[in-house]
Amino acid sequence: MRCGPLCQLLWLWPCLLCVQAVSIWKVRDDTKTLIKTIVTRISDISHTHAVSSKQRITGLDLIPALHPNLSLSKMDQTLVLYKHILTSLPSRNVVQIANDLENLRDLLHLLAASQGCPPPRASDLESLNSLESILEASLYSTEVVALSRLQGSLHEMLQQLDIGPGC
């Protein structure tokens, strides 16, 4: 006897009943955990403690500073900039952090979608045109300042996630 599609569906029905959608609270918790992991990775790089995230260094103004009241889209834009900066650095210390930033962006996109936010628009990376010349002039300083400011931005994002950021 041939069951056909209806019998196959009935056979799969109990399995489908057990499947649940991922809770948005789980996504938010995973996002917070990933942020804490990235902050720990940055802290483990010994030379990042040499500079304050608030310190201004001439030529490194293109590295984003702290922003209060971050929305999900602003968080995404900030992470795009940091990922671009980190992938431009030749240091092996930042490869995993750059990968983690991409994963963090994916989690933020899930949070934004769950709130009905529009998809993030493409970030404008024109402000980073001078990055190569800055890297040639001060590679070490760029890495230290970028990681220090990224760590501060991640702390801000963590606090904002507790409040519940808007689109």
Side-chain angles (χ1 to χ4, degrees):
M1 183 172 147
R2 299 178 70 189
C3 282
L6 181 60
C7 289
Q8 292 172 353
L9 178 64
L10 291 175
W11 181 77
L12 287 175
W13 190 254
C15 297
L16 294 175
L17 290 176
C18 296
V19 175
Q20 296 179 359
V22 176
S23 163
I24 196 60
W25 299 110
K26 172 90 171 102
V27 173
R28 182 170 285 167
D29 289 343
D30 288 349
T31 305
K32 290 178 183 180
T33 301
L34 183 55
I35 289 173
K36 291 174 186 175
T37 301
I38 298 169
V39 167
T40 302
R41 287 186 204 279
I42 295 170
S43 295
D44 289 345
I45 300 172
S46 61
H47 61 268
T48 57
H49 305 291
V51 127
S52 167
S53 62
K54 295 176 184 167
Q55 186 174 356
R56 292 185 58 89
I57 298 176
T58 306
L60 297 181
D61 296 332
L62 62 104
I63 300 174
L66 299 177
H67 296 284
N69 301 324
L70 289 169
S71 64
L72 291 170
S73 64
K74 187 66 178 170
M75 288 181 199
D76 183 62
Q77 290 171 3
T78 301
L79 293 175
V80 167
L81 288 172
Y82 277 115
K83 183 174 185 298
H84 184 74
I85 292 168
L86 293 180
T87 54
S88 300
L89 296 170
S91 174
R92 289 182 299 195
N93 294 329
V94 298
V95 173
Q96 184 59 52
I97 295 171
N99 291 336
D100 289 342
L101 291 181
E102 189 61 36
N103 292 334
L104 181 56
R105 287 188 64 222
D106 291 340
L107 289 171
L108 289 176
H109 291 173
L110 283 173
L111 287 174
S114 73
Q115 292 182 8
C117 300
R121 56 186 168 85
S123 295
D124 181 25
L125 296 176
E126 288 180 18
S127 62
L128 296 178
N129 287 341
S130 61
L131 182 61
E132 287 182 27
S133 62
I134 292 170
L135 287 174
E136 289 174 14
S138 57
L139 182 64
Y140 177 78
S141 297
T142 305
E143 181 179 345
V144 171
V145 171
L147 289 174
S148 179
R149 290 187 186 172
L150 172 59
Q151 193 172 28
S153 292
L154 290 171
H155 282 296
E156 289 292 323
M157 288 179 194
L158 197 56
Q159 290 175 347
Q160 208 54 39
L161 285 171
D162 287 334
I163 298 170
C167 293

